[in-house]
Amino acid sequence: MSRALPVRGDGPLAEFARALRELRERANGTVNAVVACGASRTAVYAALSGARLPSVQTLDLMVDAWANGAAAERGRWRERRRVAEGAMAERSRLAGAAVPRRTPEEADFADQLRALWGVCGRPATEAVARHCEVSARTLDSYLDGRTLPTPERFDQVLAGLASVIKAGAGGEADESVVCNAPRTETLREALLRARTARKEERARVRELATALPGGQADPTGGVPSSSDGFGHVPGVLPGRRFDDRGTLARAGVHRQLMSGIAGSETLGAESVVLSDERSGDEDHGDVIIYTGEGATGDQQLTRGNAALARSASTRVPVRVVRRTANAPGGLAYRYDGLYTVEDYWSEQSPDGRRVWRFRLVRRAPAEQGVAHLPQRDEAERSGLASSMRSPLSVQRVVRSTAVANLVKQMHDFRCQICGVRLLLKGGRAYAEAVHIRSLARPHNGADAINNVLCLCPNCHVLMDAGMFVINDDLTVVSRADSTVRGVLRETPEHRIDRQALAYHRTLHGLPREE
């Protein structure tokens, strides 16, 4: 007997779920039949209840189990899914959300990956996941085109496919299908184009988000009040101490009793709570590298993580709360002011999971709703800080002026990219020393001459923004139009670190060259 799950809500997602239910009822089919074909039971129930669209891989398995798997029928259902996905995106756009489009390059990579999957006998993603470090759900998202693998993850997927074929689960296919160099190189090139296109589309959406309702900056330059949940809370100054999460919530500082992130995917994050028990957070006072939510498996850019990503687009301030010494009844917390989400990215954690990381930077005192931030002695006198003193060690990155000046002198203050030499009043030359791999966390580059370039201000900005990337042969490529702008000048005394160049390319969305 099939489980009676209610369809959630209305709209294109609910309509698609009802259509799938009708298909199952006409065939008198069961969820177990789809699971037997290799689908995830959770994914099937989610599709039938309208919780989310099934991946193309899961949808094909559902059609195979309930409609005899005719190619024409699979094509019709894929088209219905595409229409539903487009309708959902349009609905979000009309609701005032900046929705990234799926670029043609991403669709092309997904098509090529599904073609390879077909040649390999269309193995179940669960079977491939058992032979690589990628979950079945993540594999489904790759095949569906919703996410893109990193080059390292792509290699793991290929290894997993080869292992499945070797184990005999790939039908008539053999390992040579996956090990075919021209095919895999074509796929890698398609992945490079797709990742580059997605990065550019993400930048477009971030710009668009600031122009949508609720995303426009305050024309007065002031800090929004907490009447809408964002900004400073009237009457609560930085340094205010709270005995527990309940008092934090009642004061409106952090309105979640359990989660470390408060906010919504559409509006952004209101506040975050740091904790000594959180693994991966790096607290440097004015700068925080915050690890997203999701304790098991690969983290997804949803819920609280999506809220912080939204805040990076809107630049709306985020309240930061730190855990302090234990209070008599449990943990104590301190409100430490407003921060801005400056950047976010995904990376592999020490335990092998993919996690989202967010760089938060403290706003100026004038933007905190106070004339200045209270110092420790002031806070203790006013009773806002813990009565317990604890030693504090602050690490700051100190750049070597000698290294910067030496590099500029080596090139006579002439830009290594465009060759321009700027002269100021009195005939004094001007250039800027630029680290290829930043010294700041989490990049941790070396303050050495092989990691420093002598550039003019224009090339400096383009290099830092990732609009200029430099290949190992020192050709300088413009990301704006993919043209070669010249060759970086290198001298016998000033050799450039190729690994730093590769890191810069990878940071800005290009795979590391082998």
Side-chain angles (χ1 to χ4, degrees):
M1 183 176 178
S2 61
R3 287 174 58 180
L5 291 175
V7 175
R8 303 180 183 180
D10 56 8
L13 184 56
E15 291 175 6
F16 191 81
R18 292 189 182 96
L20 283 175
R21 286 174 174 234
E22 292 174 3
L23 173 65
R24 183 187 62 177
E25 290 168 3
R26 286 198 304 268
N28 197 23
T30 64
V31 171
N32 287 337
V34 185
V35 174
C37 295
S40 162
R41 187 181 300 274
T42 302
V44 175
Y45 279 127
L48 290 172
S49 65
R52 63 174 181 267
L53 280 177
S55 68
V56 172
Q57 182 84 352
T58 300
L59 180 61
D60 284 350
L61 295 175
M62 295 169 79
V63 174
D64 288 351
W66 298 337
N68 299 324
E73 190 69 13
R74 284 201 301 268
R76 282 193 292 270
W77 276 97
R78 285 188 182 186
E79 177 61 19
R80 292 184 69 168
R81 184 192 177 285
R82 186 191 65 78
V83 171
E85 188 176 40
M88 290 166 59
E90 179 65 12
R91 196 178 190 188
S92 298
R93 186 188 68 79
L94 293 175
V99 180
R101 303 170 303 182
R102 182 179 302 180
T103 64
E105 292 83 1
E106 292 174 77
D108 177 60
F109 173 75
D111 288 342
Q112 292 194 41
L113 184 60
R114 285 195 294 268
L116 174 62
W117 220 267
V119 173
C120 293
R122 297 176 64 220
T125 51
E126 284 79 2
V128 178
R130 287 194 290 270
H131 294 274
C132 64
E133 298 178 2
V134 184
S135 69
R137 185 172 180 178
T138 301
L139 288 172
D140 282 334
S141 72
Y142 295 161
L143 290 167
D144 195 24
R146 286 179 285 119
T147 59
L148 292 172
T150 61
E152 295 78 10
R153 280 294 181 93
F154 179 65
D155 289 340
Q156 291 175 11
V157 172
L158 293 181
L161 277 173
S163 298
V164 167
I165 293 174
K166 188 175 181 180
E172 300 297 325
D174 57 56
E175 289 181 81
S176 63
V177 173
V178 179
C179 300
N180 182 282
R183 181 190 294 274
T184 55
E185 285 307 310
T186 301
L187 264 170
R188 286 192 175 91
E189 291 174 6
L191 176 59
L192 167 60
R193 291 192 297 269
R195 288 176 62 83
T196 303
R198 170 163 286 193
K199 188 177 182 69
E200 293 169 353
E201 173 65 8
R202 189 180 298 163
R204 182 192 70 83
V205 170
R206 289 187 183 182
E207 293 176 3
L208 176 63
T210 62
L212 291 173
Q216 297 179 358
D218 183 356
T220 66
V223 179
S225 71
S226 65
S227 60
D228 57 357
F230 298 95
H232 66 83
V233 177
V236 180
L237 298 180
R240 171 86 171 265
R241 188 169 170 274
F242 299 86
D243 289 336
D244 51 43
R245 294 287 286 264
T247 55
L248 272 175
R250 287 192 292 273
V253 176
H254 186 75
R255 300 193 283 187
Q256 286 283 348
L257 292 176
M258 298 296 294
S259 175
I261 306 172
S264 70
E265 297 185 16
T266 54
L267 297 178
E270 301 174 8
S271 56
V272 297
V273 174
L274 305 185
S275 170
D276 293 338
E277 294 179 353
R278 284 186 56 86
S279 60
D281 286 351
E282 300 177 27
D283 189 354
H284 308 289
D286 289 347
V287 177
I288 300 167
I289 307 299
Y290 185 84
T291 302
E293 62 182 18
T296 59
D298 291 344
Q299 292 183 356
Q300 306 297 320
L301 197 60
T302 57
R303 304 177 64 181
N305 297 338
L308 283 171
R310 174 71 170 169
S311 294
S313 302
T314 62
R315 312 288 292 178
V316 171
V318 177
R319 295 186 295 274
V320 168
V321 177
R322 287 181 169 88
R323 197 183 75 167
T324 61
N326 284 357
L331 299 178
Y333 300 88
R334 185 180 66 244
Y335 168 54
D336 278 343
L338 302 178
Y339 284 64
T340 300
V341 183
E342 294 284 355
D343 194 12
Y344 64 96
W345 63 93
S346 67
E347 64 182 42
Q348 190 168 18
S349 66
D351 60 4
R353 299 185 303 124
R354 298 300 297 182
V355 298
W356 284 96
R357 305 267 273 168
F358 302 87
R359 185 172 184 266
L360 285 74
V361 178
R362 190 195 298 271
R363 290 199 166 200
E367 299 179 281
Q368 304 282 354
V370 293
H372 68 286
L373 292 177
Q375 299 300 314
R376 185 175 183 86
D377 291 342
E378 298 176 23
E380 287 176 349
R381 285 196 300 271
S382 61
L384 298 180
S386 170
S387 59
M388 298 178 63
R389 293 178 180 267
S390 57
L392 176 66
S393 176
V394 179
Q395 293 184 342
R396 298 184 184 275
V397 177
V398 180
R399 292 167 172 79
S400 171
T401 304
V403 169
N405 289 338
L406 176 60
V407 170
K408 289 188 281 189
Q409 291 168 7
M410 283 179 171
H411 296 275
D412 193 26
F413 293 83
R414 191 177 300 279
C415 179
Q416 288 180 254
I417 292 179
C418 67
V420 167
R421 187 174 188 268
L422 299 176
L423 292 177
L424 305 180
K425 186 176 180 179
R428 184 168 62 89
Y430 177 81
E432 296 180 353
V434 182
H435 286 87
I436 304 169
R437 179 169 181 165
S438 173
L439 304 188
R441 291 176 180 267
H443 311 293
N444 301 321
D447 196 11
I449 62 172
N450 62 356
N451 188 42
V452 177
L453 299 178
C454 174
L455 301 181
C456 68
N458 285 349
C459 292
H460 182 178
V461 171
L462 292 171
M463 184 77 177
D464 280 354
M467 296 308 295
F468 277 173
V469 292
I470 304 173
N471 294 321
D472 286 348
D473 61 0
L474 301 185
T475 53
V476 181
V477 179
S478 168
R479 295 285 302 284
D481 53 11
S482 300
T483 59
V484 176
R485 293 301 180 91
V487 178
L488 184 78
R489 186 173 65 255
E490 184 181 49
T491 66
E493 297 81 15
H494 184 209
R495 295 293 183 185
I496 308 301
D497 183 359
R498 266 50 175 186
Q499 291 186 350
L501 294 177
Y503 182 88
H504 180 267
R505 292 194 300 270
T506 304
L507 180 65
H508 294 288
L510 299 179
R512 196 182 299 272
E513 293 183 354
E514 299 296 337

